[in-house]
Amino acid sequence: MRYSHRLSDAVHILAYIDIYHDSDLSSTAIAASVESNPALVRRLMVALRRAGLLATQQGTATPRLARQPAKISLLDVYRSVEEEGNLLHVDDKTNPKCVVGGNIQETLRVAYDEVQRAAEAQMAQITLASLVDDIWTREREKKANGSQ
Amino acid sequence: MRYSHRLSDAVHILAYIDIYHDSDLSSTAIAASVESNPALVRRLMVALRRAGLLATQQGTATPRLARQPAKISLLDVYRSVEEEGNLLHVDDKTNPKCVVGGNIQETLRVAYDEVQRAAEAQMAQITLASLVDDIWTREREKKANGSQ
DNA sequence: TTAGATGTTACTTTATATATTACATCTAAC
DNA sequence: GTTAGATGTAATATATAAAGTAACATCTAA
């Protein structure tokens, strides 16, 4: 099982830039929210820029979304930052002299591709806009409960 | 990232037991096909037994499927051997004092659950029987091509 | 000119899946 | 019963990828 947080951190960065667009958007400020480090944030921002989701300018802490949040899906972010991009992994060291070992890799690859497509179709339905909405809803609920 | 091959190896073990039910089914023989080691095979077999997919008897190399291959889905195997069982992972170290950091974990958990459900629904459609069929089809095709 | 930002790379640390080893326990054959 | 060889199980070691850290070239704006 993988323990990569690249997708979660990338969504975090985009949500932060959307919500705090009038505040300090330096990699250091964002890293403080992610509780990670500025270099990781910058690396992820480069990946998001290359994927056309983010616009940045070297020397200035002025990143901005390259598209409306409603036009950025979780799948877009996933494909930006997950290099390999497979949720399930084939064991590529099986014995080719065995009926099972000699064929199961391709068999599983096809099966896993179907699972991947189903997962990605769902990811395509989730937008940054809906995630940011959900963040705000939770924030309001916390405030409401806190003042009871 | 370090990939887990537990699901692939578990499917391999079940397919091997189904296909080679009249041959040597010791953990050593199966490990030779997986190109792994007997202890790993035994651990996975224990997980499959606990999940009700496999019947084993201590002291004897006589494992057998506890259900018909058509009644064993990829999802059954996945749930047997993947302890945590989440394809996507939330970064659980974000700053609670920030609107984003304080809420994104739950927001992403809900979103990831939706993706997980879509993936698992697809896994439920894939049976061990169909995977074994595919293995045999590929084996026949290899033989046909080889004798041309 | 300079302070402070991003872009980028190299190296270190940490986490964890798998390999390895060992051994208790069980089964079947003798 | 004894024994060979199997599973069940745990402890430890190893390998490797993710994340952390540090350093620095480059760019921007004051």
Side-chain angles (χ1 to χ4, degrees), chain A residues 24-90:
Chain A
D24 179 7
L25 293 182
S26 66
S27 60
T28 302
I30 298 174
S33 175
V34 179
E35 290 201 350
S36 176
N37 62 81
L40 171 67
V41 170
R42 290 200 291 271
R43 277 195 295 257
L44 288 174
M45 285 172 79
V46 167
L48 292 167
R49 172 167 56 74
R50 288 188 177 141
L53 305 186
L54 196 66
T56 62
Q57 191 183 13
Q58 187 170 1
T60 70
T62 57
R64 57 188 176 75
L65 301 183
R67 292 191 224 156
Q68 295 174 349
K71 300 285 187 187
I72 296 176
S73 72
L74 187 61
L75 179 58
D76 292 326
V77 184
Y78 175 78
R79 287 187 170 154
S80 302
V81 299
E82 297 289 352
E83 193 66 24
E84 166 94 29
N86 293 320
L87 295 167
L88 296 171
H89 300 282
V90 173

Side-chain angles (χ1 to χ4, degrees), chain B residues 116-133:
Chain B
Q116 185 80 24
R117 269 197 294 278
E120 293 193 355
Q122 186 59 40
M123 284 196 233
Q125 300 299 314
I126 300 169
T127 67
L128 179 60
S130 70
L131 294 171
V132 169
D133 274 355

Side-chain angles (χ1 to χ4, degrees), chain B:
Chain B
M1 67 192 78
R2 183 110 174 97
Y3 305 121
S4 168
H5 295 139
R6 292 168 63 85
L7 176 59
S8 294
D9 290 347
V11 170
H12 192 138
I13 290 167
L14 293 174
Y16 192 97
I17 291 170
D18 188 42
I19 288 180
Y20 289 105
H21 53 83
D22 286 332
S23 309
D24 179 7
L25 293 182
S26 66
S27 60
T28 303
I30 299 174
S33 176
V34 180
E35 289 201 351
S36 176
N37 61 81
L40 172 67
V41 170
R42 291 201 290 273
R43 275 196 297 261
L44 289 173
M45 285 173 79
V46 167
L48 293 167
R49 172 167 56 74
R50 288 189 178 141
L53 304 186
L54 194 66
T56 63
Q57 190 184 13
Q58 187 171 1
T60 71
T62 58
R64 58 188 175 75
L65 301 184
R67 291 190 223 158
Q68 296 174 348
K71 300 287 187 187
I72 295 175
S73 72
L74 187 63
L75 179 58
D76 292 326
V77 184
Y78 175 78
R79 287 187 171 155
S80 302
V81 299
E82 296 290 355
E83 194 63 26
E84 166 94 28
N86 292 320
L87 295 167
L88 297 171
H89 299 283
V90 173
D91 185 346
D92 54 359
K93 272 193 290 186
T94 58
N95 190 341
K97 291 176 182 168
C98 165
V99 172
V100 180
N103 297 287
I104 197 167
Q105 292 183 26
E106 277 310 305
T107 293
L108 283 179
R109 237 183 287 279
V110 171
Y112 289 175
D113 278 352
E114 292 169 2
V115 175
Q116 185 80 24
R117 269 197 294 278
E120 293 193 355
Q122 186 59 40
M123 284 196 233
Q125 300 299 314
I126 300 169
T127 67
L128 179 60
S130 70
L131 294 171
V132 169
D133 274 355
D134 193 74
I135 288 171
W136 277 122
T137 300
R138 291 178 188 280
E139 183 69 12
R140 280 195 303 275
E141 284 172 359
K142 280 203 293 191
K143 285 241 175 68
N145 288 335
S147 62
Q148 272 176 356

